[in-house]
Amino acid sequence: MAAITRTGGTGTPALEDVSLQVNALQAMCRQVFGFRLAMIAVAAPPALLNAAPGIGVRLVGAAVVVTFMGSYVLFRDWERFGPLLLRHPSLLAVDTLFGALLLISAGPDTTLAYVSVCTPLLAGLVYGWRGAACFASLQSLILLLVYAALRAGPGTGVADRLLLPGLCVITGAMGSTLRRLMLRFGSATQALTTVRARLAVTEAVAAERARLAREMHDSVAKTLQGVALAADALARSAGSPDMDPARVRQHADLVARAARRAAAESRELLTELRRDAPDPTQEIDVLPELAARTRAFADRTGLAASYHATGDRATLPVPPTVARHLLTITSEAMDNVQRHADPTHVDVHAGVHGDALCISVYDDGRGLPDGTTLEQLRRDGHFGLVGMVERAAAIGARIHIGRGAHPGGTEVRLELPLTGSRP
């Protein structure tokens, strides 16, 4: 015997932050300024000791204060003062000149030399390759002038003098490369976010179309099918040789009632489409509603239908959207029995077992044909079971359609986890 089982899925993942590259650049700039702070703090005492008394000490002290405080402010509050550095490259140039005073006083062989290497790296991160080239050239020129002014001893060769300027060029290229990579990564992330947003819109449109199809099938389409059957019966009665006026009136009245019901269902569907989202705090007790639907089905069709309460709870308030899906699935299961199964009785069981609501609709009819699948039903234009499965997935429920534990017939069994149900 064929069986159809589906479990409700999860939502789509969250969208990525499109400003990721900006945050990464800010973090790198902060790290550069943190390194500068450490190097300035270590090299400041030797620079002050080596400075000439009087104005020399004052100039070196001012250079220490300016470079240290500037680095600290940008390290501490980049979001506030970083845009100033972005708009005014001259600020970094002034900082470079003050750093040159410290470099002359402390000497290029101290830790302060690493501060000069950081400047092209920072310029590459902030201004791109043009800024990196400009400040790498400026810093290299300053270093060469410092070496020339200090007249290094014979042990200092050309390679030693070109080491730091070469590092300035390398760090400038590294900074501009990192900036370019971060911006490209950010552009790719933004493009991915745009694609995901478009996919989310497409999925939302498809979900809404599927919902409208379910609502039309479960209401207006079924009623119009009844109108067609009643109209056929009316045509046969009116065209028979022994026409009975009473039977013709009965069939005509049935067609009129079905047509009015289809119109009412159409208005109800249109009203629901224009209505605002239901209040999730106004919950519906679904168990008494299931019992009422079972009794109404028995009165309408004349089939022997009985409702059996199970579990240890007599009431179960759920959000209105969840209740609507549960009641519609149960009603559709019973209507399918009446249209296709040719049963003698229908049994509906509902109750809370553990942390799940269990609903079962069983009939002793002919059952599903072997090999029945959702794809086959969809291709053949039978959307009743398809809509039931989609409704169950929409509320995170598990549905099984088949023989179950019974020797014959068909059972529609729905299990809804109460801890994870969603409207």
Side-chain angles (χ1 to χ4, degrees):
M1 177 62 65
I4 300 172
T5 303
R6 285 294 175 91
T7 305
T10 58
T12 55
L15 295 179
E16 294 185 17
D17 186 7
V18 297
S19 61
L20 181 61
Q21 75 279 16
V22 177
N23 295 333
L25 286 174
Q26 290 178 356
M28 287 186 178
C29 292
R30 273 200 171 99
Q31 291 175 2
V32 173
F33 281 113
F35 181 77
R36 280 168 54 96
L37 284 173
M39 295 299 100
I40 292 172
V42 172
L48 291 172
L49 292 176
N50 293 335
I55 190 171
V57 173
R58 294 189 182 92
L59 288 175
V60 172
V64 170
V65 172
V66 170
T67 55
F68 187 87
M69 292 305 299
S71 299
Y72 176 78
V73 166
L74 290 168
F75 172 77
R76 178 78 177 182
D77 197 358
W78 172 266
E79 290 80 3
R80 182 178 178 182
F81 297 102
L84 292 176
L85 189 64
L86 291 173
R87 290 193 299 267
H88 304 288
S90 58
L91 295 177
L92 186 59
V94 172
D95 177 82
T96 303
L97 295 178
F98 277 104
L101 291 177
L102 294 178
L103 190 62
I104 293 173
S105 179
D109 55 346
T110 62
T111 56
L112 196 64
Y114 295 104
V115 177
S116 61
V117 174
C118 291
T119 301
L121 175 62
L122 182 64
L125 290 173
V126 177
Y127 306 120
W129 68 269
R130 290 185 177 87
C134 178
F135 280 92
S137 303
L138 177 62
Q139 194 67 65
S140 299
L141 179 61
I142 291 175
L143 286 169
L144 293 175
L145 291 176
V146 169
Y147 276 114
L150 294 179
R151 288 185 174 84
T156 304
V158 177
D160 295 330
R161 297 184 181 186
L162 296 179
L163 177 61
L164 287 177
L167 287 177
C168 290
V169 175
I170 293 174
T171 55
M174 289 176 56
S176 61
T177 302
L178 288 174
R179 173 187 172 87
R180 187 164 56 251
L181 289 176
M182 286 296 174
L183 293 178
R184 287 183 179 179
F185 178 74
S187 300
T189 303
Q190 187 173 4
L192 179 61
T193 302
T194 303
V195 171
R196 288 186 173 180
R198 291 177 179 174
L199 288 177
V201 171
T202 303
E203 291 177 357
V205 172
E208 183 64 14
R209 290 179 61 184
R211 187 185 75 84
L212 291 176
R214 289 194 301 268
E215 297 296 339
M216 292 293 294
H217 175 274
D218 296 338
S219 58
V220 181
K222 290 192 302 183
T223 305
L224 291 178
Q225 184 180 7
V227 172
L229 294 176
D232 290 339
L234 176 60
R236 287 193 300 269
S237 299
S240 62
D242 51 348
M243 182 183 64
D244 184 2
R247 182 176 293 275
V248 171
R249 283 194 299 271
Q250 180 183 3
H251 289 160
D253 183 62
L254 181 61
V255 171
R257 289 202 308 270
R260 286 193 293 270
R261 181 180 176 186
E265 289 173 345
S266 300
R267 287 193 298 270
E268 181 181 355
L269 180 60
L270 292 174
T271 302
E272 182 183 355
L273 291 176
R274 294 182 177 275
R275 188 182 302 155
D276 294 334
D279 186 1
T281 61
Q282 297 178 355
E283 296 184 328
I284 297 175
D285 192 354
V286 71
L287 295 180
E289 288 291 331
L290 288 172
R293 295 253 176 145
T294 305
R295 291 192 297 268
F297 171 78
D299 295 338
R300 185 178 74 252
T301 62
L303 285 174
S306 57
Y307 175 82
H308 307 275
T310 61
D312 54 356
R313 294 178 60 177
T315 61
L316 179 62
V318 296
T321 305
V322 176
R324 176 177 177 80
H325 284 301
L326 293 174
L327 296 173
T328 304
I329 291 172
T330 305
S331 298
E332 179 64 19
M334 291 188 291
D335 288 339
N336 282 340
V337 170
Q338 188 264 334
R339 290 198 303 266
H340 306 296
D342 193 19
T344 61
H345 66 86
V346 180
D347 293 326
V348 179
H349 296 77
V352 178
H353 298 269
D355 59 350
L357 169 65
C358 299
I359 301 175
S360 171
V361 180
Y362 169 72
D363 68 272
D364 61 347
R366 61 174 60 98
L368 288 173
D370 292 334
T372 301
T373 63
L374 288 179
E375 289 73 17
Q376 177 186 352
L377 293 173
R378 188 180 287 108
R379 287 195 304 267
D380 296 341
H382 303 296
F383 299 107
L385 296 182
V386 176
M388 292 164 60
V389 172
E390 291 177 348
R391 287 183 183 275
I395 57 177
R398 177 181 176 85
I399 188 170
H400 177 85
I401 305 172
R403 183 178 298 172
H406 306 278
T410 303
E411 181 187 29
V412 177
R413 183 172 182 82
L414 184 75
E415 297 179 2
L416 174 67
L418 299 178
T419 57
S421 61
R422 59 184 184 272

